[in-house]
Amino acid sequence: MTDSTADYPFELTQTQAPVGVDGESGTRTGTYEPSFAGLSPSTRLTTIEVGQQLDDFDLLLELGTGAFAKVFLARQRSMQRLVAVKISANEGHEPQTLAQLDHDYIVRVFDQRILHEQNWRLLYMQYLPGGTLLDVVEAIHRAEKPPETGQTLLDAVDHALEGRGGIRPTESSTRAELATLPWPDTVAWLGKRLAQALDYANSHGVLHRDIKLANVLLAADGTPKLADFNISFARNVTGASPFEYFGGSLSYMSPEQLTACQPGHTLDMANLDARSDIYSLAVVLWELLTGNKPFDDSAAQAARARGAGAIGDTTALELMLTTRAKGIPPTALAALPETCPPALRRVLLIALSAAREQRWASGAELAEQLQLCLDPSARDLVDPPVRSWRLRLRPFFVPIAFLAIMIPNLLASAYNIQHNQLLIVSQLSEYAQGRFMLVTTVVNVVFFPLGAAVLLYWYRYIILVPRRLRRGPAPPEENLARARRDCLVAGDRAVFIVFGLWLLSGLTFPLTMQFAAGGIPGRSAIHFFGSITICGAIAIAYPFFLLTFYVVRSVYPELVAYGQTSPREAEELRALSRRLPRYLAVAASVPLLGVVAVTFLTPVEIAQVIVPIRALCIGGIAGFVLAYWLSRQIESDVRALERVIGNRVPH
């Protein structure tokens, strides 16, 4: 069948026939011709007409026709049901391939009958009355204006139903959802389901090799179903070969599939993988989104026309390969709707990469990314607007992390210094004061740079992996996964180091003073440990919320945009949410600790430190309000990201 005539395209949807292959040498032995060599019985398919009975089937309506098969709406007498019957020559492995597949978004095949006298195969399957995605694009062209919502899809389905004598279905939750979805979201909705179908097929060893608009059927509620596995290759089917019935629709082919069509590249057919089908699906989604394919093949079509119908003309194929190697042209990018989210644009551009190693590695990855496009909160995190601060601050993890950690600790240090100066240092002898300053200097010079070095080591994946993403091809998946995991514990690690340094200082100071200056008064030691406790609470709460807010809102989403996440990561996100109340409780304790500290001071001591205590209480209350707001924002972002990761497709 060709795109122009196919209405119910279960047949080979190409304008060229398969390539013949020499079994011993693996070289091309045939050329692209408009028929299968050796399938002469198919020429008698023209004698089949509506009203006939074949085997168990009454043929009611012709749904589609092509060079190699006819498809009819039929009544199966024995089961008293309507089915779609594909009648073709009894060749190939399509029934065996489809027998392996049972998926919500793949057309369900019931069984086959063989008419031995005519050498015909009757493959009967689920009847879907809603037309194809090709009908949808044609409806868009007729309207001469871009679609606004998924109602365009439903209108095309209803038009197909009426054309076949059906009636518009009652409203369903699916139709209600589609009717209000913006058109780019509708495209992502369709694409996610088709990507899941491809992933399922590939997990069963099946490559479709002919993804196109006309090969996606629509149920009455708009649900897409992948059809026509006539030229697919099933690794698990005995006797199947990647060289059998190789073909497809040129304008939807991946560059590697186009290469395999060229003379001398027959063996490349065996090297095709799921990424080839992903490329073809991306072409389909682009055409749905804009009304046109992403590449201008007019020069190739002209070259093909000059070849007097030689569809596989090498010049035409070379022109198509050259066009795809240049990437998506500016005119095609400009045709994207203004309402197209940056996330969907990115997902399709990656899927349409000329180099297959740069595409999504599986249908599951693509489905997860398209699910992201359907969640406004999550997609704005992963692909923020161009002028968003979340986008602009992504390259500056090190300085922002430094400020998020240091500013609260500098404030804590200021309080600690003032508190100790008034209640401890001023009470010491001149010699002891000198020792105090020496110990403080040594601790700051030795311990804090050491802590910074440990943090830089722990954060190395967060620093290096995003930098590599921005400068070139994506790093290995395990590095991406490690960077995402490190992001979710970045705040905890900062707290661990900084609180550890405060604790170490709290232990080092009295011990050193004991040996160097003969010790400090007991009451001064109590004051010192009290101030260290307050500073420790500040070091725990505020750096955690500041750093986690920045990482979850800016850094982590960038990493989610690449590779496939795992169920473990969803649990890690939930674990982060569960930790938030604990840190919030610590933030709430800061002003309370200041109030409690006053109860242990004498009136004279209170008079000495009343200003620092007031600053601590007022600042602690303001800090808690900020921490509470940050906590709510982090929770919202985590829920959005968890929705995406939680919807990944398991293999």
Side-chain angles (χ1 to χ4, degrees):
M1 294 181 187
T2 64
D3 283 352
S4 60
T5 61
D7 188 25
Y8 202 82
F10 286 104
E11 184 49 63
L12 176 66
T13 52
Q14 59 183 41
T15 55
Q16 71 273 21
V19 178
V21 176
D22 185 306
E24 293 182 359
S25 63
T27 59
R28 181 183 301 262
T29 60
T31 57
Y32 286 96
E33 298 293 340
S35 64
F36 277 110
L39 298 186
S40 55
S42 65
T43 60
R44 289 182 287 165
L45 295 177
T46 56
T47 64
I48 305 173
E49 297 178 352
V50 171
Q52 288 181 285
Q53 178 187 346
L54 286 180
D55 197 75
D56 191 29
F57 305 98
D58 294 325
L59 306 184
L60 305 178
L61 177 69
E62 185 175 314
L63 299 174
T65 186
F68 318 116
K70 279 191 171 184
V71 182
F72 290 88
L73 170 62
R75 178 183 295 108
Q76 187 180 9
R77 291 189 169 194
S78 60
M79 302 298 293
Q80 288 297 299
R81 63 181 175 182
L82 292 178
V83 294
V85 177
K86 174 181 176 180
I87 307 170
S88 65
N90 184 25
E91 301 287 345
H93 297 87
E94 184 180 12
Q96 292 84 353
T97 298
L98 289 169
Q100 302 180 71
L101 306 179
D102 183 12
H103 192 268
D104 289 341
Y105 306 126
I106 296 177
V107 173
R108 182 168 289 107
V109 172
F110 300 130
D111 206 342
Q112 66 173 340
R113 303 287 182 93
I114 305 298
L115 304 184
H116 294 284
E117 182 178 346
Q118 298 93 338
N119 194 31
W120 287 347
R121 172 193 294 146
L122 277 60
L123 190 66
Y124 58 102
M125 60 200 79
Q126 178 184 13
Y127 171 56
L128 296 168
T132 72
L133 287 183
L134 179 60
D135 299 325
V136 177
V137 171
E138 289 176 346
I140 293 172
H141 288 163
R142 287 194 300 270
E144 297 182 348
K145 65 177 182 179
E148 295 181 0
T149 67
Q151 187 61 47
T152 299
L153 173 68
L154 298 178
D155 290 343
V157 168
D158 293 343
H159 181 75
L161 286 169
E162 292 169 2
R164 290 173 178 150
I167 59 174
R168 180 174 177 175
T170 57
E171 289 301 319
S172 65
S173 59
T174 301
R175 288 180 67 96
E177 177 187 2
L178 284 171
T180 58
L181 277 183
W183 184 246
D185 291 30
T186 303
V187 173
W189 186 90
L190 292 166
K192 174 193 171 184
R193 284 152 179 79
L194 293 172
Q196 290 175 335
L198 287 182
D199 186 66
Y200 174 83
N202 189 60
S203 69
H204 287 71
V206 177
L207 294 178
H208 191 282
R209 306 199 298 189
D210 195 21
I211 307 295
K212 59 188 287 185
L213 289 169
N215 279 349
V216 179
L217 308 185
L218 296 169
D221 64 355
T223 300
K225 305 269 187 174
L226 189 58
D228 198 344
F229 286 77
N230 191 61
I231 62 170
S232 63
F233 165 54
R235 292 186 297 269
N236 299 336
V237 173
T238 303
S241 166
F243 309 111
E244 287 183 305
Y245 312 116
F246 185 79
S249 301
L250 292 175
S251 58
Y252 293 90
M253 284 186 183
S254 65
E256 59 268 28
Q257 192 172 357
L258 287 170
T259 299
C261 291
Q262 292 183 301
H265 290 272
T266 302
L267 293 179
D268 289 333
M269 300 174 192
N271 295 326
L272 298 181
D273 58 20
R275 292 170 293 183
S276 181
D277 280 348
I278 286 172
Y279 185 98
S280 300
L281 176 57
V283 175
V284 166
L285 298 180
W286 191 284
E287 192 170 2
L288 275 174
L289 192 60
T290 66
N292 296 290
K293 296 181 181 68
F295 302 104
D296 181 7
D297 289 327
S298 56
Q301 291 169 356
R304 202 166 64 185
R306 291 193 300 271
I311 304 300
D313 180 75
T314 302
T315 303
L317 291 172
E318 289 174 348
L319 286 171
M320 296 179 76
L321 284 167
T322 300
T323 300
R324 281 145 183 77
K326 294 178 181 178
I328 308 297
T331 52
L333 291 172
L336 289 170
E338 293 182 1
T339 56
C340 179
L344 182 56
R345 182 181 187 272
R346 172 185 57 81
V347 170
L348 293 181
L349 289 178
I350 291 177
L352 289 169
S353 298
R356 61 179 171 181
E357 61 272 10
Q358 295 179 12
R359 296 177 212 146
W360 306 113
S362 67
E365 280 191 13
L366 178 57
E368 180 178 312
Q369 293 295 323
L370 291 169
Q371 172 62 34
L372 169 70
C373 298
L374 291 167
D375 191 320
S377 299
R379 75 188 181 202
D380 286 346
L381 284 172
V382 176
D383 294 276
V386 176
R387 297 182 179 180
S388 169
W389 68 264
R390 292 170 293 184
L391 185 63
R392 294 179 177 180
L393 294 183
R394 280 178 174 176
F396 304 106
F397 172 78
V398 172
I400 291 175
F402 175 81
L403 292 175
I405 296 170
M406 287 304 299
I407 289 177
N409 280 277
L410 288 175
L411 293 174
S413 296
Y415 169 79
N416 189 52
I417 290 171
Q418 184 71 5
H419 183 93
N420 290 339
Q421 180 65 35
L422 294 172
L423 294 182
I424 301 175
V425 178
S426 61
Q427 308 300 320
L428 299 176
S429 65
E430 184 176 344
Y431 174 77
Q433 290 184 27
R435 290 293 180 179
F436 178 88
M437 295 303 300
L438 177 62
V439 170
T440 301
T441 302
V442 170
V443 167
N444 290 336
V445 169
V446 175
F447 290 160
F448 283 91
L450 180 62
V454 173
L455 278 178
L456 284 174
Y457 177 77
W458 273 348
Y459 292 160
R460 66 191 186 281
Y461 282 91
I462 306 177
I463 298 169
L464 298 176
V465 171
R467 183 177 300 177
R468 180 171 172 181
L469 285 173
R470 300 181 200 111
R471 294 181 177 180
E477 174 57 35
E478 56 270 21
N479 289 357
L480 280 165
R482 172 66 182 273
R484 289 194 294 266
R485 289 196 299 271
D486 288 352
C487 280
L488 298 182
V489 294
D492 302 271
R493 288 177 170 177
V495 165
F496 178 82
I497 291 296
V498 175
F499 180 74
L501 291 175
W502 280 104
L503 183 61
L504 194 60
S505 299
L507 295 175
T508 302
F509 170 74
L511 291 176
T512 304
M513 292 299 294
Q514 179 68 33
F515 293 104
I520 58 175
R523 189 163 184 81
S524 295
I526 294 174
H527 292 324
F528 179 78
F529 283 115
S531 66
I532 286 291
T533 300
I534 294 173
C535 292
I538 295 173
I540 288 175
Y542 306 137
F544 171 82
F545 283 110
L546 290 170
L547 183 57
T548 302
F549 173 75
Y550 164 66
V551 168
V552 170
R553 179 154 286 199
S554 186
V555 181
Y556 181 81
E558 182 181 16
L559 299 171
V560 173
Y562 296 89
Q564 186 179 3
T565 54
S566 66
R568 174 184 173 184
E569 292 184 44
E571 175 55 36
E572 289 168 349
L573 280 168
R574 288 190 287 271
L576 174 59
S577 292
R578 290 193 294 269
R579 294 197 298 274
L580 293 176
R582 305 172 195 170
Y583 287 102
L584 199 58
V586 175
S589 72
V590 173
L592 296 178
L593 288 172
V595 173
V596 171
V598 173
T599 62
F600 291 94
L601 300 178
T602 65
V604 174
E605 291 172 335
I606 292 175
Q608 289 177 318
V609 296
I610 189 62
V611 173
I613 290 293
R614 285 176 177 173
L616 174 68
C617 293
I618 295 172
I621 293 171
F624 172 74
V625 172
L626 175 63
Y628 179 77
W629 182 83
L630 291 174
S631 175
R632 296 298 299 270
Q633 298 301 310
I634 294 168
E635 278 187 311
S636 175
D637 294 344
V638 165
R639 283 196 300 268
L641 293 167
E642 187 184 343
R643 285 195 300 271
V644 175
I645 294 174
N647 276 292
R648 70 178 295 271
V649 183
H651 286 282

